[in-house]
Amino acid sequence: MEISQNIKKYKEELGEKVALVAISKTKPNSDLLEAYEAGQRIFGENKIQEMTDKWESLPKDIEWHMVGHVQRNKVKYMAPFVSLIHAVDSLKLLKEINKEAEKNERTISCLLQIKIADEESKFGLEAEEAKEILASDEILELKNVQITGLMGLATYSDDEAKVRGEFDYLRSVYVDLKKKQPQFKVLSMGMSGDYKIAVTCGSNMVRIGSAIFGERSYN
Ligand SMILES: *Cc1c(COP(=O)(O)O)cnc(C)c1O
């Protein structure tokens, strides 16, 4: 009940310009189906095994987004079906994704994760490193990956000005890189606690989990 109402509420609030990724990690298939029946088609997970299990048992018109940190040796399990990988943070990982995409005769869309929070634990690239990857000769050889934009996680904080500053910064990096990357179209920023700020800062893809499905007991 509540899940379907939440989906409708967020879809209405976000409109057509901001894509909603329903972050369903740790939640059972029955919860995902409830969201699906309310019209949700994009789901995000952070563990490859869990995402693969869900993909196998749920309707095939779902778009699966990997939003967590990706280990190279696990790329092969999601390569047959993943539609967007949000947290790419190295050329090495891009090469692995390209290799597995090629085996599956697919092109896989990826976002580069930019470090915007000051918390040590958060993965991601400096803007300058992302620029170097995009400008490298090696990237031209990766025919089966397409980098369609950027993703970032703001500091987990009540300090709205700080969070806004981080999202504004990511938006400026996006605008700058897009000048040489006409295929850029996704700026993935904003979660349950900060999506409103993210949207006012130019996000066009938000990743909302607990506000749709309820609190998680782990992860
Ligand atoms: C879990 C997760 C989210 C969703 O977090 P909520 O606060 O539950 O909305 C968004 N992005 C990433 C990368 C996540 O791992």
Side-chain angles (χ1 to χ4, degrees):
M1 254 305 263
E2 228 170 82
I3 294 173
S4 60
Q5 284 164 359
N6 289 338
I7 293 292
K8 287 181 186 135
K9 176 189 124 173
Y10 283 110
K11 278 192 179 294
E12 206 174 283
E13 182 181 340
L14 295 167
E16 297 203 330
K17 295 203 176 99
V18 181
L20 172 63
V21 184
I23 304 296
S24 48
K25 61 194 186 195
T26 81
K27 298 296 176 182
N29 285 349
S30 55
D31 283 5
L32 281 77
L33 270 177
E34 193 175 331
Y36 179 87
E37 274 150 22
Q40 184 62 23
R41 290 295 179 274
I42 310 176
F43 291 86
E45 293 282 334
N46 70 341
K47 299 233 160 57
I48 292 178
Q49 181 64 54
E50 184 178 345
M51 183 170 76
T52 305
D53 290 345
K54 286 173 172 170
W55 166 68
E56 280 170 356
S57 44
L58 289 167
K60 287 294 172 281
D61 61 341
I62 290 176
E63 269 186 43
W64 293 99
H65 289 199
M66 171 45 60
V67 301
H69 184 68
V70 175
Q71 282 172 284
R72 269 179 289 143
N73 60 358
K74 296 207 177 132
V75 170
K76 57 179 177 287
Y77 301 113
M78 64 175 168
F81 68 92
V82 67
S83 43
L84 184 64
I85 303 175
H86 285 237
V88 174
D89 62 359
S90 72
L91 189 56
K92 251 180 163 175
L93 177 58
L94 278 170
K95 286 180 183 168
E96 181 65 21
I97 296 167
N98 184 70
K99 189 180 92 189
E100 295 299 329
E102 196 177 352
K103 281 188 198 159
N104 286 280
E105 298 177 358
R106 301 185 65 216
T107 299
I108 296 179
S109 295
C110 297
L111 306 179
L112 296 179
Q113 180 177 358
I114 306 294
K115 199 187 290 238
I116 57 172
D118 47 26
E119 288 155 34
E120 280 291 324
S121 64
K122 302 227 160 129
F123 295 102
L125 296 158
E126 300 295 336
E128 210 40 52
E129 294 172 312
K131 204 169 191 166
E132 278 167 26
I133 288 177
L134 290 164
S136 67
D137 288 337
E138 285 165 293
I139 200 87
L140 299 172
E141 287 159 30
L142 307 182
K143 306 284 187 213
N144 294 71
V145 292
Q146 192 182 29
I147 302 176
T148 56
L150 304 178
M151 178 270 213
L153 292 161
T155 301
Y156 188 76
S157 162
D158 290 336
D159 183 345
E160 199 179 313
K162 179 178 179 64
V163 172
R164 184 174 297 278
E166 292 172 359
F167 285 146
D168 275 338
Y169 170 69
L170 183 55
R171 157 87 184 189
S172 72
V173 174
Y174 177 81
V175 169
D176 179 43
L177 294 180
K178 188 173 161 62
K179 289 177 196 152
K180 288 187 179 165
Q181 305 294 329
Q183 81 286 3
F184 263 32
K185 59 182 181 194
V186 178
L187 180 55
S188 167
M189 56 186 198
M191 335 205 312
S192 293
D194 58 17
Y195 78 92
K196 281 194 177 137
I197 305 172
V199 169
T200 63
C201 295
S203 167
N204 62 15
M205 185 174 279
V206 295
R207 309 175 309 269
I208 299 183
S210 48
I212 293 173
F213 296 105
E215 293 300 325
R216 292 175 294 273
S217 43
Y218 55 101
N219 257 301

